[in-house]
Tab-separated table of all heavy atoms in Angstrom:
chain	number	residue	atom	x	y	z
A	1621	ALA	N	93.172	101.860	124.375
A	1621	ALA	CA	92.761	100.516	124.914
A	1621	ALA	C	94.005	99.831	125.422
A	1621	ALA	O	93.964	99.149	126.510
A	1621	ALA	CB	92.198	99.621	123.835
A	1622	LEU	N	95.182	100.026	124.828
A	1622	LEU	CA	96.433	99.402	125.314
A	1622	LEU	C	96.869	100.092	126.546
A	1622	LEU	O	97.322	99.445	127.529
A	1622	LEU	CB	97.573	99.511	124.303
A	1622	LEU	CG	97.349	98.563	123.104
A	1622	LEU	CD1	98.507	98.825	122.036
A	1622	LEU	CD2	97.439	97.070	123.487
A	1623	VAL	N	96.667	101.430	126.598
A	1623	VAL	CA	97.064	102.179	127.908
A	1623	VAL	C	96.188	101.708	129.015
A	1623	VAL	O	96.648	101.378	130.120
A	1623	VAL	CB	96.849	103.715	127.693
A	1623	VAL	CG1	96.999	104.439	129.003
A	1623	VAL	CG2	97.854	104.236	126.648
A	1624	GLN	N	94.875	101.555	128.741
A	1624	GLN	CA	93.919	101.083	129.801
A	1624	GLN	C	94.379	99.682	130.285
A	1624	GLN	O	94.384	99.431	131.502
A	1624	GLN	CB	92.578	101.058	129.186
A	1624	GLN	CG	91.460	100.539	130.131
A	1624	GLN	CD	90.941	101.639	131.102
A	1624	GLN	OE1	90.341	102.565	130.656
A	1624	GLN	NE2	91.249	101.484	132.370
A	1625	MET	N	94.689	98.824	129.269
A	1625	MET	CA	95.071	97.482	129.620
A	1625	MET	C	96.293	97.440	130.503
A	1625	MET	O	96.422	96.763	131.559
A	1625	MET	CB	95.417	96.771	128.297
A	1625	MET	CG	95.545	95.270	128.439
A	1625	MET	SD	96.035	94.567	126.751
A	1625	MET	CE	94.622	95.042	125.766
A	1626	ALA	N	97.286	98.236	130.178
A	1626	ALA	CA	98.513	98.358	130.922
A	1626	ALA	C	98.298	98.919	132.348
A	1626	ALA	O	98.879	98.390	133.349
A	1626	ALA	CB	99.569	99.204	130.207
A	1627	VAL	N	97.459	99.941	132.428
A	1627	VAL	CA	97.144	100.488	133.710
A	1627	VAL	C	96.444	99.508	134.625
A	1627	VAL	O	96.849	99.210	135.677
A	1627	VAL	CB	96.238	101.749	133.559
A	1627	VAL	CG1	95.719	102.249	134.976
A	1627	VAL	CG2	97.009	102.917	132.931
A	1628	ASP	N	95.482	98.860	134.121
A	1628	ASP	CA	94.712	97.879	134.863
A	1628	ASP	C	95.566	96.664	135.267
A	1628	ASP	O	95.628	96.317	136.462
A	1628	ASP	CB	93.509	97.367	134.098
A	1628	ASP	CG	92.530	98.465	133.843
A	1628	ASP	OD1	92.574	99.525	134.475
A	1628	ASP	OD2	91.598	98.272	133.050
A	1629	ASN	N	96.321	96.075	134.304
A	1629	ASN	CA	97.131	94.966	134.641
A	1629	ASN	C	98.334	95.288	135.484
A	1629	ASN	O	98.735	94.544	136.417
A	1629	ASN	CB	97.650	94.260	133.382
A	1629	ASN	CG	96.496	93.589	132.578
A	1629	ASN	OD1	95.376	93.350	133.214
A	1629	ASN	ND2	96.667	93.368	131.309
A	1630	GLY	N	98.869	96.498	135.266
A	1630	GLY	CA	99.965	97.008	136.052
A	1630	GLY	C	99.595	97.152	137.491
A	1630	GLY	O	100.287	96.637	138.437
A	1631	ARG	N	98.449	97.746	137.773
A	1631	ARG	CA	97.996	97.983	139.143
A	1631	ARG	C	97.572	96.734	139.804
A	1631	ARG	O	97.750	96.596	141.004
A	1631	ARG	CB	96.817	98.971	139.123
A	1631	ARG	CG	97.238	100.417	138.875
A	1631	ARG	CD	97.072	101.286	140.188
A	1631	ARG	NE	97.771	102.529	139.981
A	1631	ARG	CZ	97.299	103.555	139.277
A	1631	ARG	NH1	96.100	103.436	138.657
A	1631	ARG	NH2	97.985	104.666	139.110
A	1632	LEU	N	97.046	95.776	139.024
A	1632	LEU	CA	96.685	94.512	139.557
A	1632	LEU	C	97.851	93.816	140.177
A	1632	LEU	O	97.832	93.171	141.207
A	1632	LEU	CB	96.037	93.645	138.386
A	1632	LEU	CG	94.971	92.643	138.843
A	1632	LEU	CD1	93.675	93.424	139.354
A	1632	LEU	CD2	94.568	91.832	137.581
A	1633	ALA	N	98.988	93.909	139.335
A	1633	ALA	CA	100.176	93.215	139.841
A	1633	ALA	C	100.881	94.024	140.952
A	1633	ALA	O	101.545	93.380	141.858
A	1633	ALA	CB	101.174	93.009	138.693
A	1634	LYS	N	100.761	95.307	140.916
A	1634	LYS	CA	101.440	96.136	141.890
A	1634	LYS	C	100.602	97.388	142.150
A	1634	LYS	O	100.643	98.326	141.436
A	1634	LYS	CB	102.820	96.570	141.331
A	1634	LYS	CG	103.755	97.265	142.369
A	1634	LYS	CD	105.076	97.681	141.811
A	1634	LYS	CE	106.011	96.446	141.919
A	1634	LYS	NZ	107.413	96.802	141.497
A	1635	PRO	N	99.831	97.259	143.271
A	1635	PRO	CA	98.822	98.391	143.475
A	1635	PRO	C	99.427	99.734	143.593
A	1635	PRO	O	98.792	100.736	143.298
A	1635	PRO	CB	98.173	97.970	144.776
A	1635	PRO	CG	98.329	96.505	144.831
A	1635	PRO	CD	99.662	96.223	144.196
A	1636	ASP	N	100.683	99.840	144.058
A	1636	ASP	CA	101.260	101.201	144.287
A	1636	ASP	C	102.124	101.668	143.084
A	1636	ASP	O	102.919	102.567	143.244
A	1636	ASP	CB	102.037	101.254	145.571
A	1636	ASP	CG	103.223	100.307	145.463
A	1636	ASP	OD1	103.170	99.375	144.671
A	1636	ASP	OD2	104.142	100.460	146.391
A	1637	LEU	N	101.976	100.990	141.938
A	1637	LEU	CA	102.764	101.367	140.808
A	1637	LEU	C	102.390	102.805	140.376
A	1637	LEU	O	101.205	103.156	140.274
A	1637	LEU	CB	102.336	100.396	139.657
A	1637	LEU	CG	103.230	100.508	138.395
A	1637	LEU	CD1	104.625	99.950	138.686
A	1637	LEU	CD2	102.602	99.641	137.286
A	1638	HIS	N	103.431	103.630	140.229
A	1638	HIS	CA	103.244	104.969	139.855
A	1638	HIS	C	103.188	105.154	138.305
A	1638	HIS	O	104.018	104.520	137.659
A	1638	HIS	CB	104.397	105.865	140.453
A	1638	HIS	CG	104.053	107.269	140.656
A	1638	HIS	ND1	104.681	108.350	140.006
A	1638	HIS	CD2	103.039	107.857	141.376
A	1638	HIS	CE1	104.115	109.484	140.427
A	1638	HIS	NE2	103.134	109.175	141.249
A	1639	MET	N	102.214	105.881	137.753
A	1639	MET	CA	102.046	105.828	136.339
A	1639	MET	C	101.807	107.183	135.761
A	1639	MET	O	101.060	107.974	136.236
A	1639	MET	CB	100.956	104.922	135.913
A	1639	MET	CG	101.306	103.485	136.199
A	1639	MET	SD	100.153	102.311	135.396
A	1639	MET	CE	99.063	102.053	136.847
A	1640	GLY	N	102.491	107.528	134.635
A	1640	GLY	CA	102.313	108.794	134.036
A	1640	GLY	C	102.455	108.695	132.505
A	1640	GLY	O	102.614	107.553	131.976
A	1641	ILE	N	102.310	109.740	131.838
A	1641	ILE	CA	102.472	109.815	130.379
A	1641	ILE	C	103.558	110.786	130.015
A	1641	ILE	O	103.542	111.924	130.594
A	1641	ILE	CB	101.116	110.082	129.719
A	1641	ILE	CG1	101.238	110.084	128.143
A	1641	ILE	CG2	100.542	111.441	130.191
A	1641	ILE	CD1	99.864	110.203	127.464
A	1642	CYS	N	104.385	110.465	129.054
A	1642	CYS	CA	105.433	111.451	128.685
A	1642	CYS	C	105.421	111.672	127.188
A	1642	CYS	O	106.296	112.374	126.672
A	1642	CYS	CB	106.733	111.092	129.182
A	1642	CYS	SG	107.445	109.553	128.453
A	1643	GLY	N	104.464	111.135	126.449
A	1643	GLY	CA	104.415	111.420	125.023
A	1643	GLY	C	103.847	112.804	124.879
A	1643	GLY	O	103.437	113.406	125.900
A	1644	GLU	N	103.867	113.339	123.629
A	1644	GLU	CA	103.377	114.752	123.467
A	1644	GLU	C	101.920	114.875	123.780
A	1644	GLU	O	101.472	115.961	124.006
A	1644	GLU	CB	103.657	115.161	121.997
A	1644	GLU	CG	105.095	115.574	121.818
A	1644	GLU	CD	105.424	115.692	120.370
A	1644	GLU	OE1	104.697	116.248	119.608
A	1644	GLU	OE2	106.543	115.173	119.956
A	1645	HIS	N	101.215	113.767	123.911
A	1645	HIS	CA	99.780	113.818	124.291
A	1645	HIS	C	99.610	114.405	125.667
A	1645	HIS	O	98.515	114.810	126.032
A	1645	HIS	CB	99.211	112.409	124.145
A	1645	HIS	CG	99.212	111.822	122.834
A	1645	HIS	ND1	100.068	110.733	122.514
A	1645	HIS	CD2	98.590	112.126	121.653
A	1645	HIS	CE1	99.875	110.418	121.226
A	1645	HIS	NE2	99.020	111.219	120.686
A	1646	GLY	N	100.673	114.387	126.425
A	1646	GLY	CA	100.615	114.793	127.859
A	1646	GLY	C	100.209	116.247	127.926
A	1646	GLY	O	99.871	116.755	129.019
A	1647	GLY	N	100.317	117.050	126.785
A	1647	GLY	CA	99.945	118.458	126.864
A	1647	GLY	C	98.619	118.660	126.059
A	1647	GLY	O	98.309	119.898	125.926
A	1648	ASP	N	97.985	117.660	125.611
A	1648	ASP	CA	96.753	117.809	124.835
A	1648	ASP	C	95.573	117.628	125.752
A	1648	ASP	O	95.427	116.510	126.340
A	1648	ASP	CB	96.745	116.827	123.685
A	1648	ASP	CG	95.395	116.745	123.003
A	1648	ASP	OD1	95.002	117.702	122.401
A	1648	ASP	OD2	94.701	115.693	123.153
A	1649	PRO	N	94.688	118.645	125.948
A	1649	PRO	CA	93.579	118.498	126.901
A	1649	PRO	C	92.754	117.214	126.712
A	1649	PRO	O	92.504	116.479	127.709
A	1649	PRO	CB	92.752	119.796	126.677
A	1649	PRO	CG	93.765	120.758	126.170
A	1649	PRO	CD	94.753	119.989	125.344
A	1650	GLU	N	92.364	116.981	125.428
A	1650	GLU	CA	91.485	115.782	125.339
A	1650	GLU	C	92.174	114.542	125.851
A	1650	GLU	O	91.606	113.634	126.408
A	1650	GLU	CB	91.060	115.572	123.885
A	1650	GLU	CG	89.667	115.066	123.762
A	1650	GLU	CD	89.267	114.893	122.321
A	1650	GLU	OE1	89.161	115.908	121.602
A	1650	GLU	OE2	89.048	113.758	121.898
A	1651	SER	N	93.529	114.475	125.504
A	1651	SER	CA	94.277	113.289	125.958
A	1651	SER	C	94.374	113.290	127.463
A	1651	SER	O	94.449	112.193	128.088
A	1651	SER	CB	95.614	113.259	125.314
A	1651	SER	OG	95.531	113.475	123.851
A	1652	ILE	N	94.507	114.484	128.006
A	1652	ILE	CA	94.643	114.574	129.499
A	1652	ILE	C	93.364	114.075	130.163
A	1652	ILE	O	93.401	113.437	131.183
A	1652	ILE	CB	95.015	116.079	129.881
A	1652	ILE	CG1	96.418	116.366	129.407
A	1652	ILE	CG2	94.882	116.225	131.426
A	1652	ILE	CD1	96.722	117.868	129.516
A	1653	TYR	N	92.281	114.418	129.651
A	1653	TYR	CA	90.980	113.876	130.165
A	1653	TYR	C	90.993	112.350	130.227
A	1653	TYR	O	90.654	111.719	131.160
A	1653	TYR	CB	89.735	114.397	129.386
A	1653	TYR	CG	89.658	115.868	129.197
A	1653	TYR	CD1	88.993	116.369	128.082
A	1653	TYR	CD2	90.186	116.744	130.133
A	1653	TYR	CE1	88.961	117.762	127.884
A	1653	TYR	CE2	90.167	118.008	129.920
A	1653	TYR	CZ	89.465	118.590	128.795
A	1653	TYR	OH	89.442	119.950	128.625
A	1654	PHE	N	91.548	111.807	129.122
A	1654	PHE	CA	91.655	110.354	129.114
A	1654	PHE	C	92.627	109.805	130.129
A	1654	PHE	O	92.273	108.864	130.847
A	1654	PHE	CB	92.146	109.928	127.646
A	1654	PHE	CG	92.300	108.484	127.541
A	1654	PHE	CD1	91.305	107.598	127.355
A	1654	PHE	CD2	93.648	107.915	127.665
A	1654	PHE	CE1	91.525	106.213	127.184
A	1654	PHE	CE2	93.838	106.537	127.553
A	1654	PHE	CZ	92.787	105.700	127.382
A	1655	CYS	N	93.718	110.505	130.318
A	1655	CYS	CA	94.730	110.073	131.270
A	1655	CYS	C	94.095	110.037	132.724
A	1655	CYS	O	94.331	109.209	133.525
A	1655	CYS	CB	95.949	111.000	131.284
A	1655	CYS	SG	96.993	110.769	129.788
A	1656	HIS	N	93.335	111.069	132.956
A	1656	HIS	CA	92.625	111.147	134.242
A	1656	HIS	C	91.644	109.948	134.389
A	1656	HIS	O	91.651	109.294	135.412
A	1656	HIS	CB	91.849	112.448	134.368
A	1656	HIS	CG	91.020	112.591	135.515
A	1656	HIS	ND1	91.499	112.942	136.833
A	1656	HIS	CD2	89.673	112.416	135.683
A	1656	HIS	CE1	90.478	112.887	137.691
A	1656	HIS	NE2	89.350	112.612	137.042
A	1657	ARG	N	90.960	109.720	133.375
A	1657	ARG	CA	89.937	108.673	133.366
A	1657	ARG	C	90.512	107.310	133.634
A	1657	ARG	O	89.935	106.490	134.394
A	1657	ARG	CB	89.134	108.703	132.121
A	1657	ARG	CG	87.656	108.482	132.255
A	1657	ARG	CD	86.817	109.090	131.059
A	1657	ARG	NE	87.243	108.574	129.824
A	1657	ARG	CZ	87.485	109.438	128.832
A	1657	ARG	NH1	87.463	110.731	128.954
A	1657	ARG	NH2	87.878	108.944	127.612
A	1658	VAL	N	91.625	107.045	132.977
A	1658	VAL	CA	92.219	105.727	133.130
A	1658	VAL	C	93.025	105.539	134.476
A	1658	VAL	O	93.436	104.532	134.848
A	1658	VAL	CB	93.064	105.184	131.930
A	1658	VAL	CG1	92.221	105.098	130.746
A	1658	VAL	CG2	94.255	106.108	131.771
A	1659	GLY	N	93.165	106.684	135.125
A	1659	GLY	CA	93.740	106.614	136.529
A	1659	GLY	C	95.272	106.782	136.542
A	1659	GLY	O	95.946	106.229	137.440
A	1660	LEU	N	95.836	107.525	135.580
A	1660	LEU	CA	97.284	107.829	135.647
A	1660	LEU	C	97.507	108.788	136.833
A	1660	LEU	O	96.592	109.434	137.354
A	1660	LEU	CB	97.775	108.514	134.381
A	1660	LEU	CG	97.761	107.640	133.085
A	1660	LEU	CD1	98.580	108.318	131.984
A	1660	LEU	CD2	98.250	106.269	133.342
Side-chain angles (χ1 to χ4, degrees):
Chain A
L1622 287 175
V1623 172
Q1624 178 83 66
M1625 191 185 296
V1627 169
D1628 293 348
N1629 291 342
R1631 284 252 165 76
L1632 211 64
K1634 187 177 275 185
D1636 62 344
L1637 191 68
H1638 204 240
M1639 290 192 267
I1641 182 174
C1642 66
E1644 279 167 45
H1645 299 110
D1648 169 66
E1650 214 182 296
S1651 309
I1652 292 170
Y1653 306 151
F1654 175 82
C1655 292
H1656 173 79
R1657 220 156 53 233
V1658 298
L1660 295 193

